[in-house]
Amino acid sequence: MTDPSTDLAGTDQESLWDAGAAARYDTPGEGMFAPDVLDPAVDRLAALAGRGSAVELAVGTGRVAIPLAARGVPVTGIEISRHMVARLREKVDETVLPVVVGDMATARVPGEHTLVYLVFNTIANLLTQDAQVECFRNAARHLAPGGRFVVELWVPELRALPPGRTATVWYDEPGSLGVDTYDVLHQRVVSHHVRFDDGRATVGRTPHRYVWPAELDLMARLAGLELETRHAGWAGEPFTAESRSHVSVYRRPPHPSSAS
């Protein structure tokens, strides 16, 4: 089996999230910006942050961080794409939402925080297991004792692949189509976003490294974190074998551990 992300392997995240991608990212009131999608996430994160501060890894254009800050939670973002940060700055300034430009696996925000979070499948943008492990370690370094790291991620849909097939349709609406092509040998998937307008089709592709929940749990242990809860969504729905995504909450123990 060939690796469908081979031709995208050399594309760094900063190049992938260019000015065009940043301009198309926001869909106010629709998709991941719809109130029924966004509000439960902000509610849960605000409760987890409590009276402390939060760090959002891969803050993007501020979809979650801006409403969370409006709830009174001090939020600092980390974002590798200057184009995404420029879009964020059209909404709020540095005093409302500071941003550190850098890689979410290595960039640092000063201080200790009660919450670090990484939403909407973004840990899969890191294309190697090593980078994903470092992301967990970086999150742990930001946490005060007892603090939490929250990861929202989809469950790989390998059960939907019949023998000999390498693709699944994950989105099918008038005017748009989403197709994922899997390479199960290299644990890679490329998401194809097809949009139809006036008889013409445009295709955008993003590479990911998919991660199983159990693999995330091991990454957390390597970073000195413990799984606290896992639900199928932000409203606390039970996670089952049929769940297509999950929200996992990891906790740094109240007392120091020997993990680095």
Side-chain angles (χ1 to χ4, degrees):
M1 181 185 296
T2 59
D3 181 352
S5 60
T6 299
D7 58 340
L8 297 177
T11 304
D12 62 75
Q13 292 297 317
E14 188 172 10
S15 299
L16 189 63
W17 299 104
D18 59 11
R24 294 187 300 270
Y25 190 79
D26 288 2
T27 56
E30 300 178 353
M32 61 181 171
F33 287 81
D36 62 330
V37 174
L38 184 55
D39 292 350
V42 176
D43 290 343
R44 183 79 185 283
L45 292 171
L48 289 170
R51 297 185 177 182
S53 56
V55 175
E56 179 172 351
L57 305 181
V59 69
T61 64
R63 179 182 72 97
V64 174
I66 292 173
L68 184 59
R71 298 282 188 92
V73 179
V75 184
T76 301
I78 293 175
E79 174 57 51
I80 199 169
S81 169
R82 296 180 185 275
H83 301 289
M84 299 291 271
V85 177
R87 295 286 293 185
L88 184 153
R89 285 287 167 256
E90 295 175 5
K91 307 172 189 178
V92 296
D93 63 25
E94 184 78 12
T95 62
V96 175
L97 181 55
V99 176
V100 174
V101 177
D103 190 325
M104 61 182 163
T106 57
R108 295 293 304 275
V109 172
E112 290 188 330
H113 309 270
T114 57
L115 178 67
V116 178
Y117 62 95
L118 182 55
V119 298
F120 211 72
N121 309 321
T122 312
I123 194 169
N125 288 355
L126 299 171
L127 299 182
T128 68
Q129 187 182 69
D130 285 345
Q132 292 170 346
V133 168
E134 288 306 310
C135 183
F136 266 82
R137 287 178 168 153
N138 194 34
R141 285 191 290 265
H142 284 87
L143 289 174
R148 293 171 173 89
F149 178 37
V150 181
V151 179
E152 179 189 19
L153 187 61
W154 95 98
V155 177
E157 295 188 4
L158 299 192
R159 292 170 60 192
L161 290 175
R165 297 286 294 275
T166 61
T168 64
V169 176
W170 55 269
Y171 185 78
D172 182 7
E173 295 289 342
S176 60
L177 179 69
V179 178
D180 284 343
T181 54
Y182 282 84
D183 175 0
V184 297
L185 180 62
H186 299 94
Q187 209 162 312
R188 293 285 183 88
V189 60
V190 176
S191 291
H192 302 74
H193 310 263
V194 186
R195 293 179 176 84
F196 304 95
D197 185 25
D198 295 330
R200 300 179 61 184
T202 58
V203 181
R205 296 186 299 163
T206 54
H208 310 276
R209 180 184 186 270
Y210 64 80
V211 197
W212 298 102
E215 187 180 4
L216 286 179
D217 296 348
L218 183 56
M219 292 179 184
R221 292 182 62 185
L222 292 172
L225 305 176
E226 303 168 346
L227 178 66
E228 184 173 65
T229 62
R230 171 169 291 132
H231 295 101
W234 290 104
E237 305 91 325
F239 181 75
T240 71
E242 304 305 317
S243 299
R244 298 184 63 182
S245 61
H246 61 94
V247 175
S248 298
V249 179
Y250 299 95
R251 187 169 183 251
R252 179 182 171 186
H255 303 292
S257 68
S258 59
S260 59

